[in-house]
Amino acid sequence: EQHIRALAVQEGDGVTFQCSMSGDSMSSYFMFWYRQGPRGSLDWIFREGDAYGEGFQDRFKGTVESSQNRFTL
């Protein structure tokens, strides 16, 4: 189930996004975080395994807690 919300923050503020799942193991999937641009294009931010898209590694921190089925950015 997805809960879609709008979020407005000031530049420089910290924000945490969290994805969790039930009914299956997150370790069975490849987990990614993307940002959707104003024209609908997708920019890859983070992938499990501590891999970041170009230009995002210094501004974002991603974690995967497979034992708790939690994926955080």
Side-chain angles (χ1 to χ4, degrees):
E1 179 180 352
Q2 292 185 351
H3 301 281
I4 300 171
R5 296 183 288 213
L7 178 66
V9 296
Q10 297 295 319
E11 186 172 340
D13 286 352
V15 176
T16 300
F17 296 95
Q18 198 169 76
C19 172
S20 60
M21 66 181 293
S22 59
D24 203 350
S25 174
M26 194 173 274
S27 62
S28 300
Y29 300 89
F30 292 101
M31 304 301 293
F32 292 80
W33 282 107
Y34 286 90
R35 173 180 73 178
Q36 186 170 10
R39 295 190 176 126
S41 62
L42 295 178
D43 299 320
W44 167 53
I45 298 174
F46 175 74
R47 173 182 57 83
E48 63 180 302
D50 210 30
Y52 293 85
E54 188 175 337
F56 291 107
Q57 59 271 23
D58 295 329
R59 300 177 1 198
F60 291 84
K61 173 66 177 157
T63 60
V64 179
E65 297 172 75
S66 295
S67 63
Q68 297 190 20
N69 277 346
R70 189 177 310 145
F71 188 47
T72 304
L73 181 69

